[in-house]
Amino acid sequence: MKLETIINQPVLESERFDLRPLRRSDMGLIEHYAGDERVARMTTSIPHPLPPGSVEAFVTRSMAEDRDEDVWAMDATKDGGPELIGLISLTRLDRNQSEVGYWVAPVYWNTGVASLAVEMLVKANPLENSNLFASVFQDNPASARVLTHCGFQYLGDAESYSVARDANVPTWTYSKKL
């Protein structure tokens, strides 16, 4: 029996769900949800269709000691839900800053899950950042509302490459001082 690696990353709890480090057992649900074109198209890094082995490589990177991104599963088992309903991450930047990224399974869109996950991460500030950044595609106003609801301030327009779209896509960029 292979034991899973426990990584140095806190578990953050709420009444609805917990944010916990990824486990190898999450790969099936990540592949199921991230393989949905609606999810992939709203991210910069998820390809569509998902190449074989990409989720395993992502989970392995997320569990590595020398990672530059901490990833949490939104685990709804405490509320009778699945072990994974989305992911949220902090990617380390220079000058004590990180970039927030997240996606939520489509069945949980417009239920407050993303807002609660971002609020939990901001409140816990597990990397002790002084600033957080986030960007969303301009055709995803729901994610923009999540950020403004959580106190992020609009910085400006830019564009980012979307692997799933194979194109540069206009974005809105936000920041939050902690």
Side-chain angles (χ1 to χ4, degrees):
M1 181 171 147
K2 185 177 178 184
L3 296 176
E4 292 188 304
T5 303
I6 304 297
I7 59 176
N8 183 16
Q9 192 174 310
V11 173
L12 308 175
E13 297 182 2
S14 76
E15 288 185 19
R16 287 184 65 191
F17 59 85
D18 295 335
L19 300 180
R20 60 157 175 80
L22 291 188
R23 311 186 280 232
R24 296 220 173 271
S25 60
D26 293 325
M27 287 190 290
L29 284 173
I30 293 171
E31 190 163 350
H32 175 70
Y33 293 132
D36 186 315
E37 185 176 10
R38 295 170 296 173
V39 171
R41 287 179 57 83
M42 293 301 158
T43 72
T44 56
S45 60
I46 299 174
H48 185 79
L50 285 173
S54 61
V55 171
E56 182 176 7
F58 169 75
V59 171
T60 298
R61 281 192 313 275
S62 299
M63 295 174 71
E65 289 294 325
D66 62 345
R67 67 195 179 276
D68 62 358
E69 178 183 35
D70 284 4
V71 182
W72 287 265
M74 299 173 197
D75 185 327
T77 52
K78 72 177 356 170
D79 199 29
E83 291 181 12
L84 188 140
I85 59 174
L87 298 181
I88 190 166
S89 67
L90 289 173
T91 302
R92 291 169 189 79
L93 306 171
D94 62 352
R95 299 184 315 242
N96 197 30
Q97 303 174 107
S98 290
E99 183 173 5
V100 179
Y102 54 89
W103 59 259
V104 174
V107 70
Y108 294 96
W109 287 356
N110 301 310
T111 64
V113 168
S115 290
L116 179 55
V118 172
E119 286 173 355
M120 291 167 67
L121 212 53
V122 165
K123 183 178 179 186
N125 193 10
L127 300 181
E128 299 179 355
N129 292 123
S130 58
N131 285 301
L132 294 178
F133 292 92
S135 64
V136 299
F137 292 135
Q138 291 182 12
D139 60 357
N140 187 358
S143 275
R145 285 190 299 275
V146 165
L147 294 172
T148 57
H149 171 81
C150 293
F152 282 73
Q153 301 297 313
Y154 172 76
L155 284 180
D157 294 6
E159 63 179 26
S160 293
Y161 183 76
S162 168
V163 175
R165 300 182 197 204
D166 191 24
N168 286 323
V169 181
T171 60
W172 292 312
T173 304
Y174 295 85
S175 71
K176 180 166 179 66
K177 292 197 180 303
L178 301 175

